[in-house]
């Protein structure tokens, strides 16, 4: 089952922890992972500065638990490190398991070529998307692991540097997902902020400075205006 797959396959690094999205597992697959998806990983990679990104199609085209789909993403990775070349060839080998509309798991192994010490390790990550049975939509989690395939005296430096890069990568990925798939997430957050502010006014036996509560309400109102403006711009761009 999908749950047993999750429990039996854990990586120690945390990219994203159980974040809800207001879309189904199928919708996430269609909009992010399917061939020619509107918000695909290869498009995201181009947006954050990776160069010459090329993705193969999934084979087979429809993944299942027993017959996962495979693809490869090749790209040129800019490097900002002393004694390293300015760019390096890299690739992501991906395997996608899909468990109906209950969940999916995207497994990725990332390799970097022609960089000192890059041949000592491989970074593996898993993107889990499972059905949110309580509130609808889905829940997204990402874990990763640095596997050393050769001994090196620089292991601690590699681990710290790579961990920071991957946490930044997945934070940027979540920002993209949140912007394109989850505008209602921000609305929910604003609603919670406003509710908490009004509860402070209604709390009995507690003295709360009125200026503090009004400040929180004004801040939430400004944020609500920003969210509404972004949604309006997306709608205009989508119909242009």
């Amino acid at each position: 089952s999908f749950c047993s797959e999750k429990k039996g396959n854990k990586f120690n690094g945390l990219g994203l922890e159980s974040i809800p999205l207001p879309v189904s597992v199928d919708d996430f697959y269609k909009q992010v992972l399917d061939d020619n998806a509107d918000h695909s990983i290869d498009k995201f990679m181009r947006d954050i500065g990776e160069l010459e990104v090329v993705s193969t199609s999934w084979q087979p085209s429809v993944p299942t638990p027993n017959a996962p789909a495979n693809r490869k993403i090749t790209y040129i990775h800019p490097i900002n490190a002393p004694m390293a070349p300015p760019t390096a060839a890299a690739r992501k080998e991906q395997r996608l398991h899909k468990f109906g509309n209950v969940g999916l798991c995207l497994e990725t192994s990332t390799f970097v070529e022609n960089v000192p010490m890059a041949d000592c390790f491989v970074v593996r990550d898993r993107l889990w998307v499972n059905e949110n049975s309580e509130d609808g939509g889905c829940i997204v989690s990402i874990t990763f692991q640095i596997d050393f395939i050769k001994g090196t005296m620089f292991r601690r430096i590699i681990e710290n540097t790579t961990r920071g890069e991957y946490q930044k990568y997945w934070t940027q990925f979540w920002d993209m997902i949140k912007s394109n798939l989850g505008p209602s997430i921000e609305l929910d957050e604003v609603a919670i902020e406003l509710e908490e502010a009004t509860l402070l006014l209604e709390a009995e036996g507690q003295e709360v400075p009125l200026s503090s509560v009004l400040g929180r309400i004004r801040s939430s109102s400004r944020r609500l205006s920003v969210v509404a403006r972004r949604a309006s711009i997306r709608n205009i761009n989508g119909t242009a």
Side-chain angles (χ1 to χ4, degrees):
S1 68
F2 180 69
C3 292
S4 63
E5 284 280 337
K6 287 197 69 171
K7 292 177 181 177
N9 291 277
K10 291 185 177 179
F11 286 160
N12 52 25
L14 186 62
L16 291 175
E17 183 177 14
S18 302
I19 298 179
L21 271 177
V23 297
S24 68
V25 173
D26 274 345
D27 284 340
F28 185 96
Y29 167 75
K30 292 173 183 175
Q31 296 189 53
V32 179
L33 300 176
D34 199 6
D35 289 333
N36 303 314
D38 289 339
H39 312 298
S40 64
I41 289 178
D42 55 304
K43 181 180 182 299
F44 160 71
M45 291 173 63
R46 294 186 195 96
D47 289 343
I48 63 172
E50 305 291 3
L51 307 172
E52 299 180 26
V53 182
V54 178
S55 175
T56 64
S57 299
W58 289 111
Q59 296 296 330
S61 58
V62 180
T64 66
N66 297 323
N70 296 275
R71 75 176 177 188
K72 183 186 297 183
I73 301 176
T74 58
Y75 58 103
I76 302 297
H77 179 59
I79 299 175
N80 184 19
M83 301 183 68
T87 60
R91 74 182 188 277
K92 292 182 181 291
E93 296 180 358
Q94 297 188 315
R95 172 168 290 190
L96 177 62
H97 303 257
K98 194 165 185 298
F99 305 83
N101 197 35
V102 176
L104 62 82
C105 175
L106 175 68
E107 299 179 287
T108 302
S109 297
T110 301
F111 304 83
V112 179
E113 303 171 1
N114 302 321
V115 175
M117 298 180 291
D119 61 343
C120 296
F121 67 99
V122 176
V123 183
R124 309 186 195 280
D125 60 73
R126 291 193 180 107
L127 184 154
W128 297 98
V129 182
N130 63 285
E131 181 183 28
N132 188 345
S133 57
E134 293 183 1
D135 301 321
C138 67
I139 296 175
V140 179
S141 303
I142 297 168
T143 57
F144 64 92
Q145 184 166 290
I146 305 167
D147 289 341
F148 284 86
I149 55 181
K150 286 184 182 180
T152 172
M153 62 185 296
F154 299 104
R155 177 171 179 143
R156 184 60 60 85
I157 295 174
I158 292 172
E159 286 179 332
N160 291 338
T161 302
T162 305
R163 188 175 293 111
E165 287 182 357
Y166 264 71
Q167 287 171 337
K168 178 182 178 182
Y169 175 90
W170 288 118
T171 298
Q172 291 174 307
F173 177 79
W174 171 244
D175 288 341
M176 182 274 288
I177 292 296
K178 183 177 178 180
S179 173
N180 291 294
L181 301 189
S184 63
I185 293 176
E186 291 184 276
L187 292 175
D188 289 343
E189 291 173 351
V190 173
I192 291 171
E193 291 172 2
L194 289 170
E195 184 175 359
E196 289 176 348
T198 55
L199 287 175
L200 288 174
L201 289 174
E202 297 171 355
E204 295 183 4
Q206 297 184 23
E207 292 187 5
V208 180
L210 182 60
S211 60
S212 174
V213 178
L214 291 176
R216 291 184 63 175
I217 292 175
R218 281 193 293 269
S219 176
S220 298
S221 297
R222 285 194 294 268
R223 188 177 174 193
L224 182 61
S225 297
V226 171
V227 174
R229 196 178 306 118
R230 287 177 186 162
S232 176
I233 292 172
R234 277 194 294 267
N235 288 336
I236 292 172
N237 292 338
T239 57

